[in-house]
Amino acid sequence: MRLGVLTSGGDCPGLNAVIRSIVHRAVTGHSDDVIGFHDGWKGLLECDYRKLDLDAVSGILARGGTILGSSRVRPEHLRDGVERTRGHVAELGLDAIPIGGEGTLKAARLMSDNGLPIVGVPKTIDNDIAVTDVTFGFDTAVGVATEALDRLKTTAESHQRVLIVEVMGRHTGWIALHSGMAAGAHAIVVPERPFDIAELTQRIGERFSAGKKFAIVVAAEGAKPREGTMEFDTGGTDVYGHERFAGIARQLSLELEERLGKEARPVILGHVQRGGTPTAYDRVLATRFGWHAVEAVHRGEFGQMTALLGTGIVMVPLAEAVETLKTVPQGRYAEAETVL
Amino acid sequence: MRLGVLTSGGDCPGLNAVIRSIVHRAVTGHSDDVIGFHDGWKGLLECDYRKLDLDAVSGILARGGTILGSSRVRPEHLRDGVERTRGHVAELGLDAIPIGGEGTLKAARLMSDNGLPIVGVPKTIDNDIAVTDVTFGFDTAVGVATEALDRLKTTAESHQRVLIVEVMGRHTGWIALHSGMAAGAHAIVVPERPFDIAELTQRIGERFSAGKKFAIVVAAEGAKPREGTMEFDTGGTDVYGHERFAGIARQLSLELEERLGKEARPVILGHVQRGGTPTAYDRVLATRFGWHAVEAVHRGEFGQMTALLGTGIVMVPLAEAVETLKTVPQGRYAEAETVL
Amino acid sequence: MRLGVLTSGGDCPGLNAVIRSIVHRAVTGHSDDVIGFHDGWKGLLECDYRKLDLDAVSGILARGGTILGSSRVRPEHLRDGVERTRGHVAELGLDAIPIGGEGTLKAARLMSDNGLPIVGVPKTIDNDIAVTDVTFGFDTAVGVATEALDRLKTTAESHQRVLIVEVMGRHTGWIALHSGMAAGAHAIVVPERPFDIAELTQRIGERFSAGKKFAIVVAAEGAKPREGTMEFDTGGTDVYGHERFAGIARQLSLELEERLGKEARPVILGHVQRGGTPTAYDRVLATRFGWHAVEAVHRGEFGQMTALLGTGIVMVPLAEAVETLKTVPQGRYAEAETVL
Amino acid sequence: MRLGVLTSGGDCPGLNAVIRSIVHRAVTGHSDDVIGFHDGWKGLLECDYRKLDLDAVSGILARGGTILGSSRVRPEHLRDGVERTRGHVAELGLDAIPIGGEGTLKAARLMSDNGLPIVGVPKTIDNDIAVTDVTFGFDTAVGVATEALDRLKTTAESHQRVLIVEVMGRHTGWIALHSGMAAGAHAIVVPERPFDIAELTQRIGERFSAGKKFAIVVAAEGAKPREGTMEFDTGGTDVYGHERFAGIARQLSLELEERLGKEARPVILGHVQRGGTPTAYDRVLATRFGWHAVEAVHRGEFGQMTALLGTGIVMVPLAEAVETLKTVPQGRYAEAETVL
């Protein structure tokens, strides 16, 4: 058999582990050929690829990024390109295995609906894909954010400050919730649940009244105040129609400083959350996903995606995967107790 | 209500996170009192304890070890002490919540069967408790082992050596399997599956024949050769009847050096795997376990234990938890591909 | 003897190690009493302090921040407070040992010039104190920045971007130089040497022309363009007369994106650089400084400060220490080769 | 010009940073050619090498090990090979730049004394070369050991144990001293100063008497008891005439357990100390050494070695470098206060 691999959308620790695992399983287990397309769907559209053998994936397991490069998906381009892609796939004799987050899986579904032999591997640090317990990259992002929060606690304490730490999460608060719980943040604000600035101020205020000298607020980048409770610049949308963000941490720190009369400072963790060596957890999950994706190809299970269910890897339809966003459920807020 | 907490058995990163979470939930959510017994079951038997309020658990979330101390369980002592314990529990008006690994849960079950109001929290870095997807401490142990393996790979390569790295796991190979997969080890040997030394030698030998200059073998401390394939000193049993180990890494390195004619060296990771700050993953899991244990106490669900099932926390009977050891299933070996 | 300790100015990893070392040496080596003033010079002015014995400093060696708290110095307050301070010092029978960065050492000198028995310990992550080879906190800041840069490289490569990473350093480029060298940055801009935006653009452009797919620029927060080469918002000064910064990374990323026609993104590392557990290097240096400060007190060497000279610790006059800022010398730029 | 590079002796984090720096400086700064010999002096003797251009050293700055491979030196082989080497050097038109630790520098000196154009770069995690303030690799080794000690402290405390942690250092105690100071060990034993087992026992015993529940002893692998104070197996010498070690940690733990009546356990950190990604400190130092080595070649300063003196890099004669071992001076023991 001949397999094509591509990585698309935002960077995600574990991508190289998936690529390596696909190549290892395909070559060693099935004597397949594998090629890798460069820079995401673009490589498939333009037939730009290279051969991936065991040597090509040697030493990449622990490396961040993707050796294949990536690019953001513009669905309209893909729609126009379905025929072209179909041609390339036929010509190369391929079963393509895309890897991707929310946008990429939509593209994968589009391709699959048009009859292309696709097997998906979900990929997003945001952990917001509904049909899998977790996605690789998430654990690394949470780990990086938690380590930063651990560091920031001591500096906040020494300077008697409120620090508002902005972590990734445009539509869901998973990274904020987990890193906030892991680091013992004093408040967590998430997109799923617009916060009341008065409540937030009161919670932090009570902490200071009780004699504590600092506070840490973790804010997902997509968090926003309940309407009408605070002036807020949402930032609008960018040229792709994606939401832009005007900076929740910056805005919150100004507001809290004024309301509390305490020094407040924003910290924006940014791209460090999605780069660099993946955690052991993510390497294992990514490796398992890659292995099972190859098996699915060999069983002819197209239009499906690998998913973690409990401790096992299962295949689920791409159609299901893209239908709903996995938001943080109510019960998880209660456990954290610090989510407003 | 009045809750008693104790930590028993081997050290496990995340214990302090559980203690903190229990106190936070009990005090803040239910206005309970909490006391902590010192040094495991010993503290309960001797009525040696201290009050745990919010201040007592401030700043412990990310700390390894247990602020309550621990000690190994000797079941016969506990049996004799059931009456004494019952007296202390009545006197103090307690619902005790033990935290513990395999041995501790057995003790917890014994206490529970004798009518004491017990809620368990599973705790073992070995991940060998059947009724929960995972236990806290495991992710940290795997992370520490993986980081060590990442380091060892470069030194093995520079010196053209075979390194045999011994990780924890007396009865199960979970840590070996996950750290070995995460670091891309070239062979993994585990207790569940006695290895054939000839096969192992051949596998490493083929790697060198293919031009590679080093190899990493991960060995769970309880791994052993298939009977008759290699001379092996098992180490016998210690005074508690526990198996002792004579050092799989040391024995394997001597054997492989002779068979391969390549320098081979043992590395024994030892106690670093169970100490120190827990990963974000373990802190979140431990915090959730603590929270749910308190809820179970308030619902009167005694003789039960917290468990992770998929993404949710559930309660399962202690009786079930201690019945079988969770060994590495066959499918996981296939995924790893390097397990002999 | 009776010693007073205070920590003042910006947070710096290693402060707790100094405090611990002072207490250990004073108590164990000399049977001294030690007290610690709260929140920097404020504690001395207001006679707000607590006793520091061995138990008080147990477990703080590896902790970031300062158990004594800190506050920024406002020299005019200190000037007014000299008499008050003299009174407190007499009353308490003290030889005060301040710890501090640039501002704090100036305050220490003021106090010393007014006859107070001061021994200084230099403290700044910026490494800009002339009379010591290095200050503790610097190695930790460089380590944190380097780890972030390592992570950012993979994400920049995957997305074919220019990342401009802003690190601390208002007046000097030490952190930028060392983290940039350690991580292999492609350009480094520092306050000591205003950069030419055309040269910077050309250097990055040549990298892309040579087929490379990304670039990392490290910018000290106080870096600025050569006058007239680029529009630049300096940010002005804050209420203390300190320079404020309008964000070199943000401005550079906009400018480079336009000039290069490549996606460029700013990353601002911020407070994580000064928080959290110190590196082993900083813990050893801080411990040595504390030990020698106590010895200096016992030899009556007031108005002096500990300093690292090669591998040894020496005492140098505070007057000398505050005279000049240690800027990055010319030869170090040459070694780095990437400094513009 | 044409430069040859080789790496010899024990692995040392920072070797790749030196190689990269030599190539960068030679190629970019001087338009030199550079070749790298494989597996240390062996490559030079057998004329086994490859071309090193900028691409060949791309991405290696942060990687542990050495891309050139290494091997232990057997001086008698080198002596026989001087003529052969001279021939190869002439044939290839080379100024060889070896990198090496104690043994390698001796070999370098031998070659230099025989008229070969050698410039040395000192390299040893042991930090025992007299004429430089510090060698790269040392900071990484200390960092790895300190992190392990941080982890071990919590597990020792939870289990009320004495842990004896064996770190590298056959002839000198630098790693033991620095990691022990950085982690707050309760006793440190080093080769330079044979310890008195009775004193050591007493020190640990007093700690327990004072109510502490655990103790950490750091032991350099070459540490030994004062003669006659304790039975001790020195391990003898290996086939190269190098000292072998029978395990100070294992022997000490047995002895202390018996004398103290407390559980004592050995932990042997081993090869993790010399593998893996170097710290920022070591990367900067290694990069500077490489840069200056190339400059020295171009100035014709043969028979010399790069060295750190304060904050600057200087050249010192190889003859001086190999004359004496840099042992831990008396004053450093006093600062540590825990050294016996």
Side-chain angles (χ1 to χ4, degrees):
Chain A
M1 267 197 160
R2 195 143 197 242
L3 275 60
V5 183
L6 63 85
T7 55
S8 159
D11 191 19
C12 184
L15 281 174
N16 282 326
V18 177
I19 296 168
R20 174 183 175 274
S21 178
I22 286 172
V23 173
H24 270 252
R25 181 59 190 161
V27 171
T28 314
H30 298 282
S31 306
D32 294 337
D33 279 336
V34 187
I35 64 171
F37 292 100
H38 296 148
D39 303 332
W41 294 100
K42 196 162 151 274
L44 184 52
L45 288 169
E46 302 177 0
C47 217
D48 175 17
Y49 65 91
R50 72 168 180 274
K51 195 176 155 50
L52 293 178
D53 56 14
L54 293 178
D55 274 350
V57 297
S58 177
I60 69 169
L61 171 56
R63 275 175 53 192
T66 157
I67 57 164
L68 293 176
S70 183
S71 58
R72 296 272 174 189
V73 192
R74 299 195 60 176
E76 63 277 22
H77 288 182
L78 278 177
R79 231 176 335 259
D80 299 348
V82 166
E83 279 322 299
R84 194 141 42 103
T85 303
R86 201 198 306 277
H88 295 155
V89 168
E91 204 178 299
L92 297 163
L94 284 188
D95 305 279
I97 302 179
I99 304 171
E102 204 221 335
T104 307
L105 289 178
K106 280 196 182 133
R109 191 196 169 179
L110 174 74
M111 290 298 185
S112 181
D113 287 353
N114 280 278
L116 291 168
I118 301 280
V119 168
V121 174
K123 172 233 64 155
T124 164
I125 61 165
D126 290 338
N127 194 34
D128 56 3
I129 297 179
V131 292
T132 180
D133 282 359
V134 70
T135 47
F136 65 85
F138 174 64
D139 190 64
T140 303
V142 169
V144 170
T146 300
E147 204 188 305
L149 287 165
D150 283 351
R151 288 202 171 271
L152 292 168
K153 269 183 122 161
T154 64
T155 194
E157 187 168 16
S158 302
H159 288 106
Q160 304 166 37
R161 275 177 177 162
V162 181
L163 289 183
I164 295 90
V165 185
E166 190 171 312
V167 300
M168 286 194 166
R170 305 200 149 196
H171 305 298
T172 60
W174 288 105
I175 294 175
L177 179 77
H178 277 238
S179 63
M181 279 182 86
H186 310 107
I188 302 171
V189 294
V190 295
E192 292 96 326
R193 205 152 114 157
F195 60 89
D196 183 318
I197 185 68
E199 264 177 58
L200 179 59
T201 309
Q202 195 191 337
R203 173 190 289 264
I204 306 295
E206 280 169 4
R207 196 176 143 78
F208 281 101
S209 305
K212 299 291 183 174
K213 300 198 151 179
F214 74 106
I216 302 280
V217 179
V218 176
E221 58 182 336
K224 19 180 180 280
R226 209 170 295 160
E227 232 169 283
T229 63
M230 166 184 159
E231 252 185 283
F232 191 71
D233 175 4
T234 59
T237 53
D238 70 13
V239 293
Y240 302 92
H242 291 148
E243 283 178 76
R244 265 214 333 251
F245 295 89
I248 175 73
R250 203 175 44 76
Q251 295 185 61
L252 253 185
S253 70
L254 291 170
E255 189 81 21
L256 285 173
E257 182 155 315
E258 203 182 292
R259 287 176 179 250
L260 286 164
K262 301 274 172 195
E263 252 187 28
R265 292 284 181 277
V267 178
I268 296 139
L269 295 186
H271 293 75
V272 284
Q273 294 164 84
R274 59 164 72 257
T277 191
T279 58
Y281 183 96
D282 280 339
R283 296 189 210 168
V284 171
L285 182 58
T287 299
R288 296 180 74 192
F289 274 3
W291 196 93
H292 283 274
V294 173
E295 293 307 290
V297 166
H298 279 267
R299 289 192 308 262
E301 291 177 17
F302 301 117
Q304 310 255 344
M305 175 192 99
T306 58
L308 179 70
L309 188 70
T311 59
I313 310 294
V314 297
M315 301 304 295
V316 293
L318 280 168
E320 246 176 69
V322 300
E323 235 151 58
T324 46
L325 208 64
K326 180 171 68 179
T327 53
V328 177
Q330 191 59 29
R332 295 300 308 275
Y333 295 132
E335 288 168 13
E337 294 196 345
T338 49
V339 182
L340 284 172
Chain B
M1 266 196 159
R2 196 145 195 240
L3 276 61
V5 183
L6 63 85
T7 56
S8 160
D11 192 19
C12 184
L15 281 175
N16 282 325
V18 177
I19 296 169
R20 173 183 174 274
S21 178
I22 287 172
V23 172
H24 271 251
R25 182 59 190 161
V27 171
T28 312
H30 298 283
S31 307
D32 294 338
D33 280 337
V34 187
I35 63 172
F37 293 101
H38 296 147
D39 303 333
W41 294 99
K42 195 161 152 275
L44 183 53
L45 289 170
E46 300 177 2
C47 216
D48 175 16
Y49 65 92
R50 71 168 181 275
K51 195 177 157 48
L52 293 177
D53 55 15
L54 293 179
D55 273 350
V57 297
S58 175
I60 68 170
L61 172 55
R63 275 175 50 194
T66 157
I67 58 164
L68 294 176
S70 183
S71 57
R72 296 270 174 192
V73 192
R74 300 195 58 174
E76 62 278 20
H77 287 183
L78 277 177
R79 235 180 328 264
D80 299 350
V82 166
E83 280 321 301
R84 194 139 42 102
T85 302
R86 201 198 305 277
H88 294 155
V89 168
E91 203 178 303
L92 296 164
L94 284 188
D95 307 277
I97 302 179
I99 303 172
E102 205 221 334
T104 307
L105 290 177
K106 279 196 184 136
R109 190 195 170 178
L110 173 76
M111 290 298 184
S112 181
D113 287 353
N114 280 278
L116 290 169
I118 301 281
V119 168
V121 174
K123 173 230 63 154
T124 165
I125 61 165
D126 290 337
N127 194 34
D128 57 3
I129 298 180
V131 290
T132 181
D133 281 359
V134 69
T135 47
F136 65 86
F138 173 64
D139 189 65
T140 303
V142 170
V144 169
T146 301
E147 204 188 304
L149 288 166
D150 283 351
R151 288 202 173 272
L152 292 168
K153 268 183 122 161
T154 63
T155 195
E157 187 168 17
S158 301
H159 289 105
Q160 304 167 37
R161 276 178 177 161
V162 181
L163 288 184
I164 295 91
V165 186
E166 188 171 313
V167 299
M168 287 195 165
R170 306 199 149 197
H171 306 297
T172 61
W174 288 105
I175 294 175
L177 178 77
H178 278 239
S179 63
M181 279 181 88
H186 310 107
I188 303 171
V189 294
V190 295
E192 293 95 326
R193 209 152 110 152
F195 61 88
D196 182 317
I197 186 68
E199 264 176 57
L200 180 59
T201 308
Q202 194 191 338
R203 170 189 291 266
I204 306 293
E206 280 169 4
R207 195 175 144 78
F208 281 100
S209 306
K212 300 289 182 174
K213 299 199 150 178
F214 74 106
I216 302 280
V217 179
V218 176
E221 57 183 336
K224 21 180 179 279
R226 209 170 295 160
E227 233 170 283
T229 62
M230 165 185 159
E231 250 184 285
F232 190 70
D233 175 4
T234 58
T237 52
D238 70 12
V239 291
Y240 302 92
H242 291 148
E243 282 177 78
R244 265 212 335 248
F245 296 89
I248 175 74
R250 203 175 43 76
Q251 296 186 61
L252 253 184
S253 70
L254 292 170
E255 188 81 20
L256 285 173
E257 182 156 314
E258 203 181 292
R259 287 175 180 250
L260 286 163
K262 300 275 172 193
E263 250 186 28
R265 291 285 180 277
V267 178
I268 297 139
L269 294 187
H271 292 76
V272 285
Q273 294 166 84
R274 58 166 70 259
T277 192
T279 58
Y281 183 95
D282 279 339
R283 297 189 210 169
V284 170
L285 182 58
T287 298
R288 297 180 75 192
F289 274 2
W291 196 92
H292 283 274
V294 172
E295 294 306 290
V297 167
H298 278 268
R299 290 192 308 263
E301 292 177 18
F302 300 116
Q304 310 255 343
M305 175 191 99
T306 58
L308 179 71
L309 188 70
T311 59
I313 309 295
V314 297
M315 301 303 297
V316 294
L318 280 167
E320 249 177 67
V322 299
E323 237 150 59
T324 46
L325 209 63
K326 180 173 68 180
T327 52
V328 178
Q330 191 57 30
R332 295 301 307 276
Y333 293 129
E335 287 167 14
E337 291 198 345
T338 51
V339 183
L340 287 170
Chain C
M1 266 196 161
R2 195 144 197 242
L3 276 61
V5 183
L6 63 86
T7 56
S8 159
D11 192 19
C12 184
L15 281 174
N16 282 326
V18 177
I19 297 168
R20 172 182 175 274
S21 178
I22 287 172
V23 172
H24 271 252
R25 182 60 189 161
V27 171
T28 312
H30 298 284
S31 306
D32 295 338
D33 280 336
V34 187
I35 63 172
F37 293 102
H38 296 148
D39 302 332
W41 294 99
K42 197 161 151 275
L44 183 53
L45 289 169
E46 301 177 0
C47 217
D48 175 17
Y49 65 92
R50 71 168 181 275
K51 194 177 158 51
L52 292 177
D53 55 16
L54 294 177
D55 274 350
V57 297
S58 175
I60 69 169
L61 172 55
R63 273 175 54 191
T66 157
I67 57 164
L68 294 176
S70 183
S71 57
R72 296 272 173 189
V73 191
R74 299 195 59 176
E76 63 277 22
H77 288 182
L78 277 177
R79 233 178 332 262
D80 299 349
V82 166
E83 280 321 301
R84 194 138 44 102
T85 303
R86 201 198 306 277
H88 294 155
V89 168
E91 203 179 302
L92 296 163
L94 285 187
D95 306 278
I97 302 176
I99 303 170
E102 204 221 335
T104 307
L105 289 177
K106 280 196 182 135
R109 190 195 170 178
L110 174 75
M111 292 297 185
S112 181
D113 287 353
N114 280 279
L116 291 169
I118 300 280
V119 169
V121 174
K123 173 232 65 154
T124 165
I125 61 166
D126 289 338
N127 194 34
D128 56 3
I129 298 180
V131 292
T132 181
D133 282 358
V134 71
T135 46
F136 65 86
F138 173 64
D139 189 64
T140 303
V142 170
V144 169
T146 301
E147 203 189 305
L149 287 165
D150 283 350
R151 288 201 172 272
L152 291 168
K153 267 183 124 161
T154 63
T155 194
E157 188 167 17
S158 302
H159 289 105
Q160 304 168 36
R161 276 177 177 161
V162 182
L163 288 184
I164 295 92
V165 185
E166 189 172 312
V167 301
M168 287 194 165
R170 304 199 150 198
H171 306 297
T172 60
W174 289 105
I175 294 176
L177 179 76
H178 278 238
S179 62
M181 279 181 86
H186 310 107
I188 303 172
V189 295
V190 296
E192 292 95 328
R193 205 152 114 155
F195 60 89
D196 182 317
I197 184 69
E199 263 176 60
L200 179 58
T201 309
Q202 195 191 338
R203 173 190 288 264
I204 306 294
E206 280 169 4
R207 194 175 145 77
F208 281 100
S209 304
K212 299 290 183 174
K213 300 199 150 178
F214 74 105
I216 301 280
V217 179
V218 176
E221 56 183 337
K224 20 180 179 279
R226 209 170 296 159
E227 232 169 283
T229 62
M230 165 184 157
E231 250 185 285
F232 191 71
D233 175 4
T234 58
T237 52
D238 70 11
V239 292
Y240 302 92
H242 292 147
E243 282 179 79
R244 266 213 332 250
F245 295 89
I248 175 73
R250 203 175 43 78
Q251 296 185 61
L252 253 184
S253 69
L254 291 170
E255 189 81 20
L256 286 173
E257 183 156 314
E258 202 181 294
R259 286 175 181 251
L260 286 163
K262 300 272 173 196
E263 250 186 29
R265 291 282 181 278
V267 177
I268 297 138
L269 294 186
H271 292 76
V272 285
Q273 293 165 84
R274 57 164 74 256
T277 192
T279 58
Y281 183 95
D282 280 338
R283 296 190 210 169
V284 171
L285 182 58
T287 298
R288 297 180 74 192
F289 274 3
W291 195 93
H292 283 274
V294 172
E295 294 307 290
V297 167
H298 278 268
R299 292 191 306 263
E301 291 176 18
F302 300 116
Q304 310 255 345
M305 177 191 96
T306 58
L308 179 72
L309 189 69
T311 59
I313 310 294
V314 298
M315 300 304 296
V316 294
L318 280 168
E320 245 176 71
V322 300
E323 237 151 58
T324 44
L325 207 64
K326 181 173 66 180
T327 52
V328 177
Q330 192 59 30
R332 295 301 306 276
Y333 295 131
E335 287 168 15
E337 294 197 346
T338 49
V339 182
L340 286 171
Chain D
M1 267 195 159
R2 195 145 196 241
L3 275 62
V5 183
L6 64 84
T7 55
S8 159
D11 191 18
C12 184
L15 280 174
N16 281 325
V18 177
I19 296 168
R20 172 182 175 275
S21 178
I22 286 172
V23 173
H24 271 252
R25 181 60 189 161
V27 171
T28 313
H30 298 282
S31 307
D32 294 339
D33 280 336
V34 187
I35 63 171
F37 292 101
H38 296 148
D39 304 331
W41 294 100
K42 196 162 152 275
L44 183 54
L45 288 170
E46 301 176 1
C47 216
D48 175 17
Y49 65 92
R50 71 168 181 275
K51 193 176 158 50
L52 293 177
D53 55 16
L54 293 179
D55 273 349
V57 297
S58 175
I60 69 170
L61 171 55
R63 275 175 52 193
T66 157
I67 58 164
L68 294 175
S70 183
S71 58
R72 297 271 173 190
V73 192
R74 300 196 58 174
E76 64 276 23
H77 288 183
L78 278 176
R79 229 173 342 255
D80 299 350
V82 166
E83 280 322 301
R84 193 140 44 103
T85 302
R86 201 197 307 277
H88 295 155
V89 167
E91 201 179 303
L92 296 164
L94 283 189
D95 306 279
I97 302 177
I99 303 172
E102 205 221 333
T104 307
L105 290 177
K106 280 198 182 132
R109 191 195 170 177
L110 174 75
M111 291 298 185
S112 180
D113 287 353
N114 280 281
L116 290 169
I118 300 281
V119 169
V121 174
K123 172 232 64 151
T124 163
I125 61 166
D126 289 338
N127 194 33
D128 56 3
I129 298 180
V131 291
T132 180
D133 282 359
V134 69
T135 46
F136 65 85
F138 173 64
D139 190 64
T140 303
V142 170
V144 169
T146 301
E147 203 188 305
L149 287 166
D150 283 350
R151 289 202 170 271
L152 292 168
K153 269 184 122 161
T154 64
T155 196
E157 188 168 16
S158 302
H159 289 107
Q160 304 167 37
R161 276 178 177 160
V162 181
L163 289 183
I164 295 90
V165 185
E166 189 171 313
V167 299
M168 287 193 164
R170 305 199 151 199
H171 305 297
T172 60
W174 288 106
I175 294 176
L177 180 77
H178 277 238
S179 63
M181 278 182 89
H186 309 107
I188 302 171
V189 294
V190 296
E192 292 96 326
R193 206 151 112 153
F195 61 88
D196 183 316
I197 185 68
E199 263 176 59
L200 180 58
T201 308
Q202 195 191 338
R203 172 190 288 264
I204 306 294
E206 280 169 3
R207 195 176 143 77
F208 281 100
S209 304
K212 299 289 183 177
K213 300 198 150 178
F214 74 107
I216 301 280
V217 179
V218 176
E221 57 183 336
K224 25 180 175 274
R226 209 170 295 159
E227 232 170 284
T229 63
M230 166 184 157
E231 251 185 283
F232 191 72
D233 175 5
T234 59
T237 52
D238 69 13
V239 291
Y240 301 92
H242 292 150
E243 283 178 78
R244 264 214 335 248
F245 295 89
I248 174 73
R250 203 176 43 77
Q251 295 185 61
L252 252 185
S253 70
L254 291 171
E255 189 80 19
L256 285 174
E257 182 156 314
E258 202 181 293
R259 286 175 180 250
L260 286 162
K262 301 274 173 194
E263 251 186 27
R265 292 283 180 278
V267 178
I268 297 138
L269 294 187
H271 292 75
V272 285
Q273 293 164 87
R274 60 164 71 257
T277 191
T279 58
Y281 183 95
D282 279 339
R283 297 190 209 168
V284 171
L285 182 59
T287 299
R288 297 180 74 192
F289 274 3
W291 196 92
H292 284 273
V294 173
E295 294 307 291
V297 166
H298 278 268
R299 290 191 308 262
E301 292 176 19
F302 300 117
Q304 311 256 341
M305 173 191 99
T306 59
L308 179 72
L309 188 69
T311 59
I313 310 294
V314 298
M315 300 304 295
V316 294
L318 280 169
E320 247 176 69
V322 301
E323 235 151 60
T324 46
L325 207 63
K326 181 172 68 179
T327 53
V328 178
Q330 192 58 29
R332 295 301 307 277
Y333 295 129
E335 287 168 15
E337 293 198 345
T338 51
V339 183
L340 286 171

